[in-house]
Amino acid sequence: MRTGPPRAAVLVLPLALALTACGTETEEPGRTGDSQEAAAPQPSQEAPRPESAEDFLDLAEKAMADESAWSFSVEGEEGLTLQGQKSAATYEGTVRRAGGRAALHSQGVSTSSKGAKGTEELYVVEGAGYLKEDAGDWKAVDPTGPEMENKVEDPVSAVEDFRGYARAAEGDVRVTRAGTVELRVTSGRQKLSAVRDRAWAEKARREFEPTAEQLGKAGIPVRDGQLTLSGLEEVLVLDAKTYRIKSHRLDFGFLIPYDGQEVSFEQRVSEKNQGPYAGKIELPAELR
């Protein structure tokens, strides 16, 4: 999640004016009689039709700025599979996010495949972050750090992520329109080292980092040069009329070589827009 204010983008359509005149000249130069100068009607000024990924991202950014705050539901799942044995966890939560990225509040519950549950709650207000996990105390955190970026699923920040993808030399974003507008980046199976310079691959690697650390502690070393991206798809869905964000999804996996086999990691996170949020996003009393 990034805390800087989003950039505004303005689309301008030049207006061409055509003037025609008709009338009758008098016999004396420099004087006009009953002649009338008539201007042709001006063409109507219409908004340009968005075509490129950046066009749609500009419109989405503007549309999301029309409300002071938004609420999103979040669902996630991740798992590790080794020798046919899978260990997984799911997550359900909500994110409330003020315009201008001035404030954010997220809370949710994770459930392991064995039924163990954990809770976490995060506030980011005016650049300061506070995290509470399970029944523990609030602790100050850096909201711009990689760990916090993994904990907060903010679909509004995905606009900036996709802008970066679109501006890459490879032009990674594909736009489709079928009832909604979908901006998408995809990758098939390939070595991470082959795409490590791509922003979407770096995001997937950052999301995988906490699991990589756990694997290392369990005696399964994770080396970037040996990692294989099993696949990736990230999709930002906009309303076709308002261009407001409807949903965002990131789905990817990695294969980690180990003892002549492969450990499979998969993660999927999706956020859905629940509409404008009328309440205030502010720190609880014990943090003020």
Side-chain angles (χ1 to χ4, degrees), residues 182-194:
E182 295 188 1
L183 294 91
R184 184 186 311 266
V185 293
T186 59
S187 171
R189 175 169 173 160
Q190 57 184 318
K191 286 289 186 180
L192 176 63
S193 57

Side-chain angles (χ1 to χ4, degrees), residues 92-153:
E92 291 185 354
T94 59
V95 172
R96 295 186 176 96
R97 194 246 206 233
R101 299 180 188 164
L104 181 145
H105 177 212
S106 72
Q107 55 189 143
V109 177
S110 59
T111 306
S112 73
S113 52
K114 295 182 180 180
K117 292 185 180 295
T119 63
E120 72 179 25
E121 187 171 9
L122 174 69
Y123 280 93
V124 177
V125 177
E126 296 181 353
Y130 299 91
L131 176 67
K132 183 177 183 179
E133 295 178 299
D134 300 323
D137 296 327
W138 288 102
K139 62 180 180 179
V141 295
D142 178 7
T144 64
E147 182 182 357
M148 290 303 102
E149 285 191 300
N150 288 350
K151 287 185 178 295
V152 176
E153 302 300 335

